[in-house]
């Protein structure tokens, strides 16, 4: 098994590509070791000293490290943990773990606008941020403001504010006049 690695715009995060499907549908974000209980793969990666976050996509694993460790020291252990997991035959997600479809539900009078927002996020935004090892999920729309949650490499990335404001906000405002602003949310 050969696992490729790619840098991301976030210097604290690397994208690992195991050359096979990681999640069939959706994404899974594990911002802490406690959250990783739902995934045998994430638990195994968190066992590496210095790992502070694991994010699973369709064909990649994004790992965020603590500032106190260097990639040269933790990367071999992370590669080993990912390889061990796939060779073990264990599932990526346990029985209790369900992948996230990517969006919070929204009902109400703005339903049509929200559908347009989700469509643009799914077709134009999420594929682009997945290339960088992250994801952006819809969390709400209220009085012209779209609330999004950044995950994986996007969470804590130095350029995430620019991505959110200059990229996503401009895109949504261009196609959907009801959108006036985009704001990040923490979960």
């Amino acid at each position: 098994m050969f696992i490729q690695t790619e840098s991301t715009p976030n210097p604290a995060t690397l994208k690992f590509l195991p050359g096979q499907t990681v999640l069939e549908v959706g994404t899974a974000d594990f911002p802490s070791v406690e959250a990783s209980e739902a995934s045998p793969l994430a638990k195994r990666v968190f066992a590496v000293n210095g790992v502070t976050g694991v994010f699973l996509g369709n064909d990649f694993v994004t790992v965020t490290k603590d500032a106190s460790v260097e990639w040269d020291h933790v990367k071999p252990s992370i590669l080993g943990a990912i390889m061990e997991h796939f060779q073990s035959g264990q599932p990526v997600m346990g029985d209790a773990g369900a992948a996230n479809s990517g969006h919070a539900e929204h009902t109400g009078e703005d339903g049509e606008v929200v559908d347009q927002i989700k469509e643009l996020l799914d077709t134009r935004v999420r594929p682009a941020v997945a290339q960088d090892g992250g994801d952006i999920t819809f969390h709400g729309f209220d009085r012209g403001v779209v609330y999004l949650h950044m995950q994986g490499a996007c969470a804590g990335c130095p350029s995430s504010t620019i991505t959110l404001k200059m990229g996503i906000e401009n895109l949504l405002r261009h196609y959907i006049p009801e959108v006036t602003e985009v704001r990040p949310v923490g979960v």
Side-chain angles (χ1 to χ4, degrees), residues 95-117:
D95 294 339
N100 180 2
S101 67
H103 302 300
E105 289 303 312
H106 181 94
T107 57
E109 62 187 56
D110 296 323
E112 191 174 313
V113 172
V114 169
D115 288 345
Q116 291 175 340
I117 292 168

Side-chain angles (χ1 to χ4, degrees), residues 23 46-47 50 57 59 71 94 124-125 131 155 168 176 183:
L23 285 180
F46 266 111
D59 63 348
W71 278 118
R124 303 286 289 277
V125 177
Q131 291 290 316
I168 300 166
I176 307 168
R183 292 184 192 164

Side-chain angles (χ1 to χ4, degrees), residues 22-23 38-42 44 56 85-86 88-95:
V22 176
L23 285 180
S39 170
L41 172 58
R44 201 179 290 248
L56 308 177
H85 175 79
F86 283 105
S88 76
Q90 281 189 298
V92 170
M93 298 296 288
D95 294 339

Side-chain angles (χ1 to χ4, degrees), residues 64-134:
T64 303
K65 70 167 186 66
D66 186 298
S68 68
V69 296
E70 296 297 323
W71 278 118
D72 292 346
H73 297 126
V74 295
K75 186 176 166 183
S77 298
I78 294 167
L79 286 165
I82 293 169
M83 190 174 300
E84 280 177 20
H85 175 79
F86 283 105
Q87 291 174 343
S88 76
Q90 281 189 298
V92 170
M93 298 296 288
D95 294 339
N100 180 2
S101 67
H103 302 300
E105 289 303 312
H106 181 94
T107 57
E109 62 187 56
D110 296 323
E112 191 174 313
V113 172
V114 169
D115 288 345
Q116 291 175 340
I117 292 168
K118 289 179 180 180
E119 175 72 19
L120 280 171
L121 290 174
D122 286 344
T123 59
R124 303 286 289 277
V125 177
R126 294 179 80 201
V129 296
Q131 291 290 316
D132 288 335

Side-chain angles (χ1 to χ4, degrees), residues 3-8 13-18 59-63 71 82 127-134 153:
I3 302 172
Q4 292 181 292
T5 59
E6 293 180 0
S7 60
T8 72
T13 304
L14 275 181
K15 183 177 174 181
F16 295 82
L17 298 131
D59 63 348
F60 65 89
V61 177
T62 301
V63 179
W71 278 118
I82 293 169
V129 296
Q131 291 290 316
D132 288 335

Side-chain angles (χ1 to χ4, degrees), residues 94-179:
D95 294 339
N100 180 2
S101 67
H103 302 300
E105 289 303 312
H106 181 94
T107 57
E109 62 187 56
D110 296 323
E112 191 174 313
V113 172
V114 169
D115 288 345
Q116 291 175 340
I117 292 168
K118 289 179 180 180
E119 175 72 19
L120 280 171
L121 290 174
D122 286 344
T123 59
R124 303 286 289 277
V125 177
R126 294 179 80 201
V129 296
Q131 291 290 316
D132 288 335
D135 197 11
I136 295 181
T137 58
F138 174 82
H139 270 264
F141 177 72
D142 184 35
R143 292 186 217 127
V145 179
V146 177
Y147 295 93
L148 302 175
H149 178 61
M150 303 180 94
Q151 300 175 313
C154 296
C157 176
S159 60
S160 65
T161 303
I162 294 168
T163 299
L164 208 59
K165 287 294 188 186
M166 302 306 287
I168 300 166
E169 183 176 289
N170 287 344
L171 175 82
L172 293 177
R173 288 174 63 188
H174 175 78
Y175 287 103
I176 307 168
E178 293 86 351
V179 173

Side-chain angles (χ1 to χ4, degrees), residues 23 27-32 35-36 53-56 100 149-152 155:
L23 285 180
T27 61
D29 188 27
F30 304 100
S32 67
S36 72
V54 177
F55 179 80
L56 308 177
N100 180 2
H149 178 61
M150 303 180 94
Q151 300 175 313

